[in-house]
């Protein structure tokens, strides 16, 4: 559902599969909870195989960005290009994000959820899509769905320097210039310094809401990256 603002743009040039991440609010009911990153990779491999896909363009936002990054590291032969949008695991979380996130998880009231989402940047702005339905959907998901404790403990650790150097797929990194989940300049600089085949930018006037509030910029940059033929060799990283 979070990709609803972007699907129309992306589907003009790509066949889009928007997958509910196992263990998160959605229609899937796993027999066993996801317990770690390796189990997420096994699940996503099974999904890609069931869809009869070969090499995919993989796009992930936030927690999904961490999952996409881990998958590209574990199964690079299945990933043609990787787009990371304010991903987890690239830079340490801010203490305020950790505190607000825990409070919302323990007390998922409408007030707490809406307050958290507004802090992330989801607000009604003139000339833009209304944010209130997004806030309400987030609240209803947390109210009626409980992430299994074993899955909840699978928090994105910071990806190591050696792992980032080992990426062998083209990577696009987009981060909101006003990101509050982690330091946007630190995340962008780290990606630029370590990832062999990298391009990235800050998205202006956006925080963690950039796919929503700056949809036109994000979608255009994504499509440009995905359609671009790759001719330049991988840069060496020492």
């Amino acid at each position: 559902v979070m990709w609803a603002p972007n699907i129309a743009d992306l589907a003009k040039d790509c066949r889009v599969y928007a997958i509910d991440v196992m263990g998160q609010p959605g229609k899937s009911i796993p027999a066993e909870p996801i317990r770690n990153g390796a189990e997420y990779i096994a699940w996503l491999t099974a999904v890609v195989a069931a869809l009869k896909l070969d090499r995919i363009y993989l796009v992930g936002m936030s927690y999904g960005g961490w999952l996409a990054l881990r998958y590209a590291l574990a199964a690079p032969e299945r990933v043609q290009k990787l787009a990371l949008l304010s991903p987890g695991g690239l830079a340490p979380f801010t203490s305020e994000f950790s505190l607000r996130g825990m409070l919302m998880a323990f007390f998922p009231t409408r007030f707490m959820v809406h307050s958290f989402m507004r802090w992330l940047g989801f607000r009604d702005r003139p000339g833009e899509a209304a944010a209130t339905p997004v806030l309400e959907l987030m609240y209803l998901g947390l109210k009626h769905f409980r992430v299994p404790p074993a899955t909840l403990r699978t928090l994105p650790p910071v990806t190591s320097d050696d792992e980032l150097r080992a990426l062998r797929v083209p990577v696009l990194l987009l981060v909101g210039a006003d990101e509050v989940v982690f330091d946007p300049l630190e995340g962008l600089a780290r990606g630029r310094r370590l990832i062999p085949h990298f391009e990235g930018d800050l998205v202006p006037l956006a925080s963690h809401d950039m796919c929503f509030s700056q949809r036109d910029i994000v979608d255009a940059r994504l499509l440009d990256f995905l359609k671009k033929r790759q001719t330049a060799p991988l840069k060496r990283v020492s």
Side-chain angles (χ1 to χ4, degrees):
V1 173
M2 68 165 288
W3 292 103
N6 315 94
I7 291 295
D9 289 339
L10 300 179
K12 290 176 183 176
D13 295 282
C14 304
R15 180 178 293 277
V16 180
Y17 297 89
I19 301 167
D20 282 343
V21 174
M22 193 66 71
Q24 305 295 322
K27 293 183 177 181
S28 300
I29 305 175
E32 295 290 336
I34 295 286
R35 296 179 177 84
N36 51 53
E39 291 185 0
Y40 266 131
I41 290 165
W43 159 75
L44 189 52
T45 298
V47 171
V48 172
L51 292 171
K52 296 180 171 59
L53 301 176
D54 185 15
R55 298 185 70 211
I56 59 174
Y57 296 150
L58 189 57
V59 182
M61 167 69 194
S62 192
Y63 193 90
W66 168 76
L67 175 57
L69 176 57
R70 301 312 306 175
Y71 190 75
L73 286 165
E77 71 283 356
R78 289 183 173 268
V79 180
Q80 190 168 345
K81 290 186 178 182
L82 176 67
L84 304 174
L85 312 179
S86 285
L90 194 63
F93 290 137
T94 64
S95 56
E96 187 173 3
F97 169 73
S98 300
L99 177 59
R100 285 176 176 268
M102 283 191 297
L103 285 173
M104 184 183 68
F106 286 118
F107 306 104
T109 64
R110 181 178 274 109
F111 172 80
M112 290 296 292
V113 174
H114 284 202
S115 174
F116 179 76
M117 294 296 287
R118 289 192 179 100
W119 177 73
L120 289 180
F122 290 86
R123 305 182 187 92
D124 290 327
R125 297 181 177 91
E128 296 179 5
T132 301
V134 178
L135 272 62
E136 190 64 10
L137 186 64
M138 183 74 172
Y139 161 66
L140 292 172
L142 289 172
K143 178 182 179 181
H144 296 288
F145 185 95
R146 287 289 179 267
V147 177
T151 304
L152 197 60
R153 288 192 289 270
T154 309
L155 297 175
V158 176
T159 308
S160 73
D161 288 1
D162 287 343
E163 286 176 316
L164 292 178
R165 290 190 184 102
L167 278 169
R168 286 297 176 263
V169 300
V171 176
L172 170 68
L173 172 65
L174 297 179
V175 183
D178 302 318
E179 179 61 75
V180 293
V181 171
F182 58 85
D183 185 321
L185 293 177
E186 179 182 354
L188 191 63
R190 191 161 182 258
R192 182 169 285 126
R193 185 176 75 253
L194 297 171
I195 297 174
H197 199 139
F198 175 87
E199 57 183 277
D201 277 313
L202 296 177
V203 177
L205 304 176
S207 177
H208 212 61
D209 63 322
M210 64 180 180
C211 290
F212 179 81
S213 64
Q214 297 295 339
R215 183 198 73 195
D216 292 343
I217 294 175
V218 172
D219 292 357
R221 189 65 199 275
L222 264 177
L223 288 170
D224 178 68
F225 170 72
L226 297 179
K227 291 187 291 185
K228 189 185 304 178
R229 291 190 64 183
Q230 213 60 50
T231 56
L234 297 178
K235 72 181 182 183
R236 284 190 170 275
V237 179
S238 58

